[in-house]
Amino acid sequence: MHVDVELNEVGREQAAVVADRLTTEFKVSAACSSDLKRAFETAEKIAATCGIVEGGGESLGKLYECCTSSLERIAAKHTGERVAVVTHGGVIRELYQRACPHGKSGGRVLNTSINIFHIS
């Protein structure tokens, strides 16, 4: 179970930094997030900074049952586009595990880290 709290001052600063990085390094077409308040707020910051009209929460539901299908659904909706998906470390670790079940884990997931998944 994850605690659903809003971003604190440090989190807001981290969200601004990652939003600026996404603006300069990637052409992001959409920003989606898990249903946690801090992820949603980060996605809103990314959307505002990147000039994205579409932003907001895309609930990932039950972590172990839904995270892969949610990412695939987002990818299908934005075919050929780069999409910022904001979530928590548990989802990122699960996505790494599903992408590389016999390989190395994604390792430690830091706040506002950028992890790139190519969906085909």
Side-chain angles (χ1 to χ4, degrees), residues 52-113:
I52 299 169
V53 174
E54 178 183 352
E58 181 89 20
S59 177
L60 294 178
K62 295 179 182 177
L63 175 64
Y64 297 106
E65 296 174 19
C66 298
C67 68
T68 302
S69 62
S70 293
L71 190 61
E72 289 173 345
R73 187 176 65 251
I74 292 166
K77 184 177 178 181
H78 299 281
T79 303
E81 300 175 342
R82 291 182 177 173
V83 178
V85 178
V86 182
T87 191
H88 47 90
V91 170
I92 295 170
R93 284 188 295 277
E94 178 65 15
L95 290 171
Y96 273 119
Q97 183 178 8
R98 289 177 186 252
C100 306
H102 302 294
K104 296 167 75 173
S105 71
R108 186 167 180 234
V109 177
L110 303 174
N111 288 346
T112 64
S113 61

